[in-house]
Every structure is written in C-alpha cells, then in structure tokens.
Amino acid sequence: MDLNDVYTQVILENSRNQKNKRNLENPDIKEPGHNPSCGDEIVLELKHDGNIITEAAFTGHGCAISQAATSVMCDEIVGKTIEEAKEMAKIYIGMIKREDISDEDLEKIGDAAAFQNISNMPQRVKCALLSWKTLDEVIDKDVK
C-alpha cells in the first residue's frame, strides 16, 4: 500500500468517525473556531487536570478535512501536557505551511502527520489548520 493511500485512509476514517464529535460534560475550556472562507466551524472543548489534557472533543460542521483534522487532534493531545500540545500545534501548523519540519518533530504529532500533503492543496490549507489554530489560540488565551 502506498503511503499516500495510508494518509488518505486516516483522513477518511477520522472524518466518518464520530467518537470525538460530542460535547464534554463540564469542560474546563470551550473555544469556538471559524473558517470564514469556507464556513467550517468547530467548538473545541477540553478538560485538564493541572497541566495534563484529560479529554478533548468538538462539535460543529465542515468539510471532511476540517472534521478529520479536528478528530485526530483530539486523539493526539489527550494525555499530553499543555506545553506538549502547544508544541504539537506549532509543529502541525508549520507542516501545513510547508516549513522545514524534522522527522522527529513529525513523530510528535502522531497521526496528524497524515495531513502533510494538504499543503499541496492551497484551497484546503485553512480547513486543515482550523482546529490546531483554535487549540494554539486557546492555550495562549485560557490556559496560561
């Protein structure tokens, strides 16, 4: 199987999988994110215990890429510290913006690396960035 096929499979599975698309009971953080260029909208909800993210979920609507990227992000940040999640967001955003990202850094974002080829589709970049930018902003705003 071609690596691009694996990436495509990750995106398809996560856009269809609804396990992270739900409301959390009493979230510590609830942050909306919106992509005005295409209408994708999410509300990211997080729970944390001290510095560790214990739960992550989202609601909203949008294209398969925005929904899959958000779901994968939720999976990848649970169990991470706030600082690790911030670093992951920086790596992911850099990857999508075609910055030079090391293989070691790509490993830190897990399945989110499946979205690397989105950088070749300029019309989809904002879709892939929505959740991670929302996470990055909420950490700067609400978690410090």
Side-chain angles (χ1 to χ4, degrees):
M1 184 179 261
D2 184 343
L3 195 54
N4 285 329
D5 293 338
V6 173
Y7 292 159
T8 301
Q9 192 64 32
V10 168
I11 293 169
L12 285 173
E13 285 176 14
N14 280 281
S15 70
R16 294 177 184 146
N17 186 340
Q18 298 293 307
K19 78 176 176 118
N20 293 322
K21 193 171 185 178
R22 59 189 168 83
N23 287 302
L24 294 180
E25 188 173 319
N26 301 314
D28 297 310
I29 298 168
K30 190 173 185 174
E31 183 71 18
H34 178 70
N35 179 357
S37 65
C38 69
D40 292 347
E41 293 184 357
I42 62 164
V43 176
L44 178 62
E45 296 183 2
L46 303 174
K47 283 187 174 185
H48 58 87
D49 183 5
N51 198 31
I52 305 291
I53 298 169
T54 57
E55 287 186 73
F58 72 100
T59 56
H61 62 273
C63 69
I65 291 171
S66 73
Q67 300 296 285
T70 307
S71 183
V72 168
M73 182 194 73
C74 288
D75 283 340
E76 294 298 337
I77 64 173
V78 170
K80 303 288 194 282
T81 65
I82 299 298
E83 292 79 18
E84 288 170 323
K86 177 78 172 169
E87 180 184 11
M88 291 170 73
K90 181 181 177 201
I91 292 165
Y92 180 90
I93 292 166
M95 174 190 76
I96 298 296
K97 291 183 171 184
R98 294 181 168 204
E99 294 173 7
D100 190 25
I101 305 295
S102 71
D103 289 342
E104 181 181 314
D105 279 346
L106 286 176
E107 286 180 25
K108 292 178 184 177
I109 62 173
D111 283 348
F115 293 84
Q116 188 170 17
N117 288 336
I118 298 297
S119 64
N120 297 322
M121 297 179 256
Q123 71 279 15
R124 296 311 221 175
V125 165
K126 288 182 181 180
C127 304
L129 288 175
L130 176 61
S131 57
W132 289 90
K133 282 190 164 191
T134 302
L135 174 68
D136 191 48
E137 291 167 8
V138 77
I139 288 172
D140 284 344
K141 183 172 79 175
D142 292 335
V143 181
K144 286 191 172 183

